[in-house]
């Protein structure tokens, strides 16, 4: 059995999770049977030094369960939630090695908002760049206007490109998705999960992680 505990957001209480014999539980109640999961989708978004991650698990009857966390990058809660994702995907890899996992946010209000923010940045940057040869900027401020315009244009273009809402998420094998999630952690082994009956005597890792169903 592997146990996790963490807060899904700053103002929420801690949730306790376990993965045992293919069963995922939250606060002592069955969350879902991993054997029934047919589809999975992992995504992350960063804004204002905070990272939101989520893992959707969809059963054959179209029931969807979501584990999520919002925390600063590197925060213990976020790290342990990544551990829960990783161990969940690891369990799915053992049960269904041919399963595909969608990775990446697509569509939705948040992605559109970031995309539009990038477009606004490009427009503002081009306006600043165009104001210099147009004589709308005082000579003493031309260097600053050019610098700000270039930053806004390039930064906005990067945001708009990476958050294009029409781009479909990547589809990875479940084991590849597990490795990708593990790579997001600042800790080389983020799980910290306690494996009862398997952990070495001096390995006292116990993970903490949280999430919530829709």
């Amino acid at each position: 059995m592997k146990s996790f505990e963490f807060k899904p957001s700053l103002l929420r209480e801690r949730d306790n999770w376990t993965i045992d014999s293919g069963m995922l539980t939250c606060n002592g109640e069955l969350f879902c049977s991993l054997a029934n999961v047919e589809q999975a989708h992992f995504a992350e978004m960063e804004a204002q030094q905070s990272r939101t991650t989520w893992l959707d698990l969809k059963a054959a009857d179209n029931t969807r369960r979501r584990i999520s966390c919002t925390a600063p990058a590197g925060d213990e809660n976020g790290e342990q939630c990544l551990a829960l994702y990783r161990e969940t995907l690891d369990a799915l890899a053992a049960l269904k090695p041919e399963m595909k996992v969608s990775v990446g946010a697509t569509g939705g209000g948040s992605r559109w908002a970031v995309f539009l923010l990038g477009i606004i940045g490009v427009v503002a940057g081009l306006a600043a760049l165009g104001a210099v040869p147009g004589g709308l900027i005082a000579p003493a401020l031309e260097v600053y206007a050019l610098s700000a315009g270039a930053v806004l244009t390039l930064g906005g273009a990067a945001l708009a490109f990476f958050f294009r809402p029409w781009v479909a998420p990547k589809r990875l094998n479940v084991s590849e998705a597990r490795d990708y999630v593990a790579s997001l952690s600042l800790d080389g082994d983020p799980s910290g999960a306690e494996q009862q009956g398997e952990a070495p005597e001096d390995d006292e890792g116990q993970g903490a992680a949280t999430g919530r169903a829709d």
Side-chain angles (χ1 to χ4, degrees):
M1 182 176 71
K2 299 181 180 181
S3 302
F4 308 83
E5 179 184 333
F6 80 93
K7 297 176 65 173
S9 62
L10 180 62
L11 300 179
R12 294 264 297 279
E13 297 294 328
R14 288 181 177 272
D15 289 332
N16 297 284
W17 296 82
T18 63
I19 300 176
D20 188 14
S21 302
M23 297 295 179
L24 180 60
T25 66
C26 179
N27 296 327
E29 298 183 0
L30 179 64
F31 187 75
C32 73
S33 169
L34 297 179
N36 294 331
V37 174
E38 297 292 334
Q39 299 178 38
H41 177 211
F42 171 79
E44 58 168 332
M45 295 190 73
E46 294 190 25
Q48 298 180 345
Q49 299 182 339
S50 181
R51 179 168 65 181
T52 297
T53 59
W54 63 94
L55 176 66
D56 289 338
L57 303 173
K58 190 174 182 180
D61 61 359
N62 289 325
T63 301
R64 189 186 70 171
R65 298 287 187 178
R66 171 171 291 185
I67 309 169
S68 66
C69 181
T70 299
D75 180 81
E76 178 185 359
N77 292 298
E79 288 291 298
Q80 295 304 319
C81 188
L82 288 174
L84 175 58
Y85 298 152
R86 191 189 74 169
E87 295 299 334
T88 299
L89 292 171
D90 189 55
L92 286 171
L95 292 168
K96 303 181 178 184
E98 301 304 318
M99 180 179 174
K100 296 290 186 179
V101 177
S102 299
V103 176
T106 182
S110 297
R111 193 171 182 88
W112 271 103
V114 177
F115 172 75
L116 293 175
L117 184 63
I119 295 298
I120 292 172
V122 171
V123 173
L126 292 176
L129 292 174
V132 175
L136 301 177
I137 302 295
L141 299 177
E142 287 182 353
V143 174
Y144 298 103
L146 289 172
S147 299
V151 169
L152 284 171
T153 301
L154 294 176
L159 277 180
F161 178 79
F162 287 113
F163 287 91
R164 293 165 292 169
W166 56 85
V167 176
K170 297 179 181 178
R171 289 181 60 79
L172 304 177
N173 290 331
V174 63
S175 58
E176 294 174 329
R178 174 202 60 204
D179 294 341
Y180 173 77
V181 170
S183 73
L184 299 177
S185 175
L186 298 182
D187 187 339
D189 181 12
S191 69
E194 181 180 356
Q195 303 183 37
Q196 295 183 358
E198 299 179 4
E201 183 175 346
D202 58 351
D203 183 2
E204 300 177 353
Q206 179 175 1
T210 359
R212 173 162 299 266
D214 280 351

